[in-house]
Amino acid sequence: MKFHLTAGVVMLAVALGAAPEGIVFSDVAVTVKMQTAPSAEFKTKGGVPDENPAPVNRDWAMIAVSFRPGVGKAGHGAKALRGAWIDDPVLDVTVEIPYGETFKGKKKSALLTGQTRFWSIPLDGKVHTALMCVPPRLLDRYLAVRGKGEVKASETMFRVQALLHGSDGAVLGEGYFNVEGKEREQQVYFARLAGSETFKDAVFPRDRTPWALQNPDQYDFLKE
């Protein structure tokens, strides 16, 4: 994990004999919304063949993760450190979905995972939001119930864990959606899902979704 300070901030820190207490991402909040992709118009001569069966799910599962990057102590909120940035932070999102048939009265689930890699984020203590999405075709694929056909997704079907990491892998902040209990209970809930069937890279970062070009300068810059 790296952070950089402007010359003025470095001089201030040295003069006061102080150093940042630690980088934290506080007030992490996760929301899920079924969202129709924005329409776009393309003009090509002769058209492009696009005759395919319509999917059951036409909306994307959009996961919005908001957070405040700054310095402080975990659980005590983030304070701004003017001129400071954190390089190479990562957002990991895990989505629990209903999957397959009910077995002996117990519902089965699977995990969809994905990652957003940021170039750099300022430690400004302000609210930042990252978007990640599950495409409709993958919802059709993995929400399928044998013998009953595909299932149309709704927000209440999903449970989500969002973890923000530094480049050294340290957890800087975490948030949950639709998981009961306090943070420790939410952590335990997802820890127990570790052995579930998992489909990696099924939660797309914003730049791989139809919203990639919508107000791009309003979001933190991403790395490929």
Side-chain angles (χ1 to χ4, degrees):
M1 176 169 50
K2 298 178 288 185
F3 61 90
H4 301 289
L5 305 177
T6 61
V9 175
V10 171
M11 291 177 63
L12 178 62
V14 171
L16 297 178
E21 297 177 57
I23 298 175
V24 296
F25 287 66
S26 68
D27 300 330
V28 182
V30 183
T31 58
V32 177
K33 183 178 181 181
M34 302 309 300
Q35 190 74 269
T36 302
S39 58
E41 183 179 355
F42 297 93
K43 295 182 179 180
T44 57
K45 293 183 178 180
V48 177
D50 61 359
E51 293 184 4
N52 288 291
V56 171
N57 286 283
R58 298 181 179 229
D59 292 341
W60 294 61
M62 178 180 284
I63 301 157
V65 182
S66 63
F67 52 90
R68 293 181 183 270
V71 293
K73 295 181 180 179
H76 293 274
K79 297 180 180 179
L81 186 61
R82 187 176 180 182
W85 294 67
I86 179 173
D87 292 334
D88 305 316
V90 173
L91 169 62
D92 285 299
V93 166
T94 301
V95 181
E96 183 195 16
I97 61 169
Y99 177 74
E101 297 177 323
T102 299
F103 180 70
K104 292 184 178 180
K106 185 177 181 181
K107 293 181 179 180
K108 294 174 63 178
S109 64
L111 301 178
L112 308 179
T113 66
Q115 186 178 83
T116 292
R117 298 176 63 236
F118 300 96
W119 193 283
S120 195
I121 295 178
L123 303 179
D124 54 14
K126 298 179 180 179
V127 175
H128 295 236
T129 300
L131 299 181
M132 298 187 70
C133 298
V134 181
R137 289 289 185 178
L138 294 188
L139 294 175
D140 272 4
R141 170 64 182 89
Y142 296 121
L143 286 175
V145 178
R146 297 173 187 171
K148 297 182 181 180
E150 292 81 3
V151 174
K152 190 169 183 179
S154 65
E155 291 91 344
T156 56
M157 288 183 176
F158 308 115
R159 291 184 175 87
V160 182
Q161 178 189 59
L163 299 176
L164 289 145
H165 297 93
S167 60
D168 60 356
V171 177
L172 304 177
E174 60 188 285
Y176 297 85
F177 172 81
N178 198 26
V179 184
E180 295 181 356
K182 296 182 179 180
E183 186 176 282
R184 178 56 183 164
E185 295 168 306
Q186 295 168 326
Q187 292 170 342
V188 170
Y189 180 88
F190 268 86
R192 289 174 177 169
L193 297 175
S196 302
E197 186 158 7
T198 301
F199 303 100
K200 296 181 179 180
D201 302 321
V203 188
F204 289 12
R206 180 181 51 82
D207 60 354
R208 292 186 59 199
T209 75
W211 293 271
L213 299 179
Q214 185 170 326
N215 301 324
D217 293 333
Q218 292 295 110
Y219 297 92
D220 294 299
F221 193 64
L222 307 185
K223 276 190 171 182
E224 293 184 359

